[in-house]
Amino acid sequence: MSGPDAETPSAIQICRIMRPDDANVAGNVHGGTILKMIEEAGVIISTRHCNSQNGERCVAVLARVERTDFLSPMCIGEVAHVSAEITYTSKHSVEVQVNVMSENILTGTKKLTNKATLWYVPLSLKNVDKVLEVPPVVYSRQEQEEEGRRRYEAQKLERMQTKWRNGDITQPILNPEPNTVSYSQSSRVTMKLMDEVAGIVAARHCKTNIVTASVDAINFHDKIRKGCVITISGRMTFTSNKSMEIEVLVDADPVVDNSQERYRAASAFFTYVSLSQDGRSLPVPQLVPETEDEKKRFEEGKGRYLQMKAKRQGQAEPQP
């Protein structure tokens, strides 16, 4: 294995065939379906590792998903191969790197569709508010540990810098104007993935076949406690010529506990693109921000878009 060595396996693979209910009407598998498989692989390997030594039993809980790019679409009838590997452990967290390959079982052709990095923390089964220590892994090279520590510190800093507006709850607007934020805004109580709500927002805005292009870091700010009703809200924040950024907010309402107020549990930015029937990229209707807050979020989204565009261009340039 290229990653760290340990007494228990540090890599696993899960796979399953994509069914019609996993995809949209155009046959493209929902990004949320892939994200769910990525998370399942991550929780299996991290929970297994965190219980590899004698001690208090625990379950690994997802704390953060780094930016995930959807490199190639997956279709109905293809087999998704999801491989997960533990690449770093700190005292209280586990880094898991996941690759997703699609396989055409008729031709045997395989292609990389997704790469993702996830961070988990172990919580005690006896007390879910208690974070346990993570068994260390043994690295085959010292550089692996140093590189992992740098990634750990970087994501820790980003989490600290993440700002979310606890009182900022989106409300439905009656008869909004087309291509405004209010027109495509979606809010629904659901336990399904955030990608579904983002997809509704994108589809309302474009009224075409839309697919997930990327997911910015998903930050889980607080645990979703038993007895809470979950509201997942999505709103469009920015459009370029051929992409849309949707902010997704997850709020938890402890309806059985009057002593607690509604709180922000998670947040993320999803990027979608519009496709024609033959899979070609289509222009996106430009978003019309109306309020000062919408204009501010539009400029912030534009900044994220330009920053990522510059990063991709830098990676594409040949190294001297």
Side-chain angles (χ1 to χ4, degrees), residues 131-186:
V131 179
L132 302 180
E133 292 190 9
V134 175
V137 293
V138 179
Y139 302 90
S140 57
R141 293 183 294 108
Q142 183 178 356
E143 292 82 359
Q144 290 178 332
E145 183 175 11
E146 294 172 352
E147 292 168 359
R149 185 180 296 111
R150 284 195 292 269
R151 293 192 300 270
Y152 167 75
E153 294 297 337
Q155 66 86 26
K156 185 177 179 181
L157 179 61
E158 286 186 19
R159 279 180 59 83
M160 293 176 63
Q161 293 175 340
T162 299
K163 297 179 181 179
W164 65 93
R165 298 169 290 277
N166 288 319
D168 187 10
I169 307 300
T170 58
Q171 300 295 336
I173 307 297
L174 297 179
N175 301 319
E177 292 296 322
N179 299 333
T180 63
V181 176
S182 301
Y183 183 75
S184 57
Q185 173 178 296
S186 171

Side-chain angles (χ1 to χ4, degrees), residues 270-317:
F270 288 71
T271 299
Y272 272 75
V273 293
S274 175
L275 299 180
S276 64
Q277 291 184 349
D278 56 1
R280 289 185 296 178
S281 179
L282 294 175
V284 170
Q286 291 305 288
L287 182 65
V288 182
E290 298 175 305
T291 68
E292 289 302 315
D293 282 344
E294 290 172 358
K295 293 175 182 178
K296 180 181 178 181
R297 286 193 291 267
F298 186 91
E299 290 302 317
E300 292 172 347
K302 183 178 180 180
R304 286 186 292 269
Y305 168 77
L306 293 175
Q307 183 179 25
M308 185 52 58
K309 184 177 180 180
K311 183 178 179 180
R312 286 197 301 265
Q313 290 175 342
Q315 292 174 342
E317 292 178 357

Side-chain angles (χ1 to χ4, degrees), residues 201-241:
V201 175
R204 281 180 178 172
H205 184 78
C206 287
K207 301 191 183 306
T208 61
N209 177 31
I210 48 90
V211 294
T212 313
S214 66
V215 183
D216 206 348
I218 302 176
N219 289 296
F220 294 85
H221 308 299
D222 203 345
K223 295 186 294 292
I224 298 175
R225 300 174 179 86
K226 183 179 180 180
C228 286
V229 171
I230 307 304
T231 302
I232 302 181
S233 305
R235 60 188 171 197
M236 192 161 296
T237 50
F238 171 75
T239 54
S240 67
N241 290 334

Side-chain angles (χ1 to χ4, degrees), residues 23 39 74 109 111 134 154 226 242 249 255 271 293 302:
E39 199 277 335
M74 192 176 298
T109 304
K111 59 184 176 182
V134 175
K226 183 179 180 180
K242 292 189 176 182
L249 308 172
V255 293
T271 299
D293 282 344
K302 183 178 180 180

